[in-house]
Amino acid sequence: MSETPMQLAPDFTVPSSAGSDVTLSQLRGNPVVLFFYPRDNTPGCTTENLDFTALYPDFSSLGCAVFGLSKDSLASHEKFISKKALSVPLLSDEHGQTCEDFGVWVEKKMYGKVFMGIERATFLIDANGHIARTWRKVKVKGHAQEVLEALRNL
């Protein structure tokens, strides 16, 4: 039985709330957690960002970069970070190309309406740039801790 090789994560360059662009391929040599979330300042997204912020020192101590990504503007991200005292850098994919490349721009349904939006998903990317683990349709409660455990087992 042969193992399926891990898929290389799609490369991207997007603006970051930390002040400069982030290019995924330039982060090789260390693991990366990339969590996609629908929108700044909404209940589930706020909880998810606060949970990753609370565990950010643990991720950092393992040499792992953590980024939240949505289609919100940098201005929106900066307000969100300030309002909620977030420490995780947020990436802005206003044109949606990174969301498309990772397959998280999907058809959603709410209250009988069908629309396109970001599926809450997280990707653990190993030091070689391969997707080591994927979480789709994430339930927020306990998720950041589960990702940290997966990183520890990487």
Side-chain angles (χ1 to χ4, degrees), residues 21-94:
D21 288 354
V22 168
T23 300
L24 183 61
S25 60
Q26 291 179 350
L27 300 172
R28 292 220 178 113
N30 291 300
V32 174
V33 167
L34 181 63
F35 67 94
F36 290 82
Y37 66 96
R39 177 159 245 139
D40 291 344
N41 284 304
T42 57
C45 298
T46 297
T47 299
E48 184 175 26
N49 273 279
L50 288 170
D51 289 352
F52 274 106
T53 289
L55 295 174
Y56 193 65
D58 297 297
F59 284 99
S60 294
S61 72
L62 296 169
C64 182
V66 179
F67 300 99
L69 187 147
S70 77
K71 290 182 72 172
D72 292 305
S73 67
L74 278 181
S76 174
H77 283 344
E78 288 162 6
K79 288 178 190 166
F80 186 36
I81 288 167
S82 178
K83 183 177 176 182
K84 299 297 180 180
L86 303 175
S87 58
V88 172
L90 302 181
L91 306 180
S92 176
D93 183 32
E94 285 190 90

Side-chain angles (χ1 to χ4, degrees), residues 52-142:
F52 274 106
T53 289
L55 295 174
Y56 193 65
D58 297 297
F59 284 99
S60 294
S61 72
L62 296 169
C64 182
V66 179
F67 300 99
L69 187 147
S70 77
K71 290 182 72 172
D72 292 305
S73 67
L74 278 181
S76 174
H77 283 344
E78 288 162 6
K79 288 178 190 166
F80 186 36
I81 288 167
S82 178
K83 183 177 176 182
K84 299 297 180 180
L86 303 175
S87 58
V88 172
L90 302 181
L91 306 180
S92 176
D93 183 32
E94 285 190 90
H95 300 293
Q97 188 60 55
T98 304
C99 293
E100 290 273 356
D101 291 347
F102 276 83
V104 301
W105 186 248
V106 298
E107 189 175 274
K108 299 171 96 174
K109 293 178 183 151
M110 186 184 303
Y111 306 119
K113 293 191 185 224
V114 177
F115 60 97
M116 295 300 289
I118 295 175
E119 173 186 51
R120 190 181 310 279
T122 301
F123 296 84
L124 174 57
I125 302 163
D126 70 16
N128 297 315
H130 294 96
I131 298 173
R133 179 105 188 256
T134 302
W135 291 263
R136 306 302 294 236
K137 297 182 182 175
V138 166
K139 302 289 183 240
V140 173
K141 186 175 169 64

